[in-house]
Amino acid sequence: MRLVIAEDSTLLREGLVRLLAEEGHEVLAAVGDAAALLEQTGQHRPDLVLTDVRMPPSHTDEGLRAALEIRRRWPDTAVLVLSQYVEKRYATELIATGGGKVGYLLKDRVMEVGEFLDALERVAAGGEAFDPDVVRALISRSTHADPLARLTARERDVLEKMAQGHSNPGIGAALSISRSAVEKHINAIFDKLDLTDSAAYSRRVLAIVRYLQG
């Protein structure tokens, strides 16, 4: 896999470069700010961009805004965001870009090397990978007029796994339920969200986005 990395912490940036190189990936560039990330992405057209959220100059949300710009300019490039924080607004926008090839993990997840590398491969292959804590933060809200209140506890579990990027078999394995049970729960979620079957859009993505946007 060909990657560009953006991380303002030199120690973490170099650690990621070494880890990914040892796993056989090619790190085309490793930079410390969002402007350099956009420049290097345009120059190298990597398979995947791995970016921090808060970087110079303001250390707010530069990396996440750059991730959205990369999705707009080069939709074939996969994007995996790493952060210590959940930036709700832009994280939701990132999910709403649809079409897979996106992920958002908390940095603590990098410590679980196997889990991190699995998420990297999944996003590069066209899937999605969202940290369970990110999903919980995004779907947590007041119960007032909350459409999630229409779902059963098991349907919420299934939706959370969907938002993390799991396939139907993956959801079944994670929740110890059959594949047919997973499909039944997903169809119930679609019905409760009034998402009719259509070739024009992915009900799976819309189900996630609708709840995350509230």
Side-chain angles (χ1 to χ4, degrees), residues 189-197 201 203 206-207 210:
I189 292 169
F190 291 158
D191 288 342
K192 291 178 180 179
L193 280 173
D194 298 323
L195 294 173
T196 57
D197 192 11
Y201 55 78
R203 289 193 295 173
L206 288 181
R210 185 166 296 182

Side-chain angles (χ1 to χ4, degrees), residues 1-5 20 24-29 37 40-51 70-71 74-80 100-103 119-127:
M1 186 189 312
R2 300 165 66 253
L3 302 103
V4 168
I5 297 173
L20 294 170
H25 300 300
E26 182 182 3
V27 179
L28 303 167
L37 170 61
Q40 293 298 316
T41 300
Q43 179 178 335
H44 295 289
R45 303 296 296 274
D47 301 314
L48 184 142
V49 163
L50 182 62
T51 181
I70 289 167
R71 292 287 291 168
W74 305 289
D76 290 337
T77 300
V79 173
L80 180 59
K101 292 193 171 185
V102 295
L120 202 71
E121 296 283 356
R122 195 187 324 158
V123 171

Side-chain angles (χ1 to χ4, degrees), residues 64-136:
L64 198 43
R65 286 188 284 116
L68 288 168
E69 183 66 16
I70 289 167
R71 292 287 291 168
R72 187 185 68 80
R73 291 191 196 179
W74 305 289
D76 290 337
T77 300
V79 173
L80 180 59
V81 173
L82 281 179
S83 178
Q84 290 180 304
Y85 313 95
V86 182
E87 300 289 347
K88 290 188 178 183
R89 174 186 171 191
Y90 291 115
T92 303
E93 288 188 31
L94 187 66
I95 294 171
T97 59
K101 292 193 171 185
V102 295
Y104 193 128
L105 299 181
L106 296 183
K107 286 184 175 177
D108 288 347
R109 203 66 56 184
V110 179
M111 303 304 291
E112 303 292 336
V113 175
E115 193 171 334
F116 167 65
L117 293 174
D118 176 69
L120 202 71
E121 296 283 356
R122 195 187 324 158
V123 171
E128 298 162 341
F130 292 93
D131 192 289
D133 290 340
V134 172
V135 175
R136 291 190 192 101

Side-chain angles (χ1 to χ4, degrees), residues 88 92 137-142 144-148 193 206-214:
K88 290 188 178 183
T92 303
L138 290 176
I139 65 177
S140 64
R141 59 176 68 100
S142 169
H144 178 66
D146 184 356
L148 281 175
L193 280 173
L206 288 181
I208 297 168
V209 170
R210 185 166 296 182
Y211 276 110
L212 298 185
Q213 289 180 327

Side-chain angles (χ1 to χ4, degrees), residues 179-190:
R179 185 168 181 171
S180 62
V182 172
E183 292 171 351
K184 180 181 177 182
H185 288 309
I186 290 175
N187 285 330
I189 292 169
F190 291 158

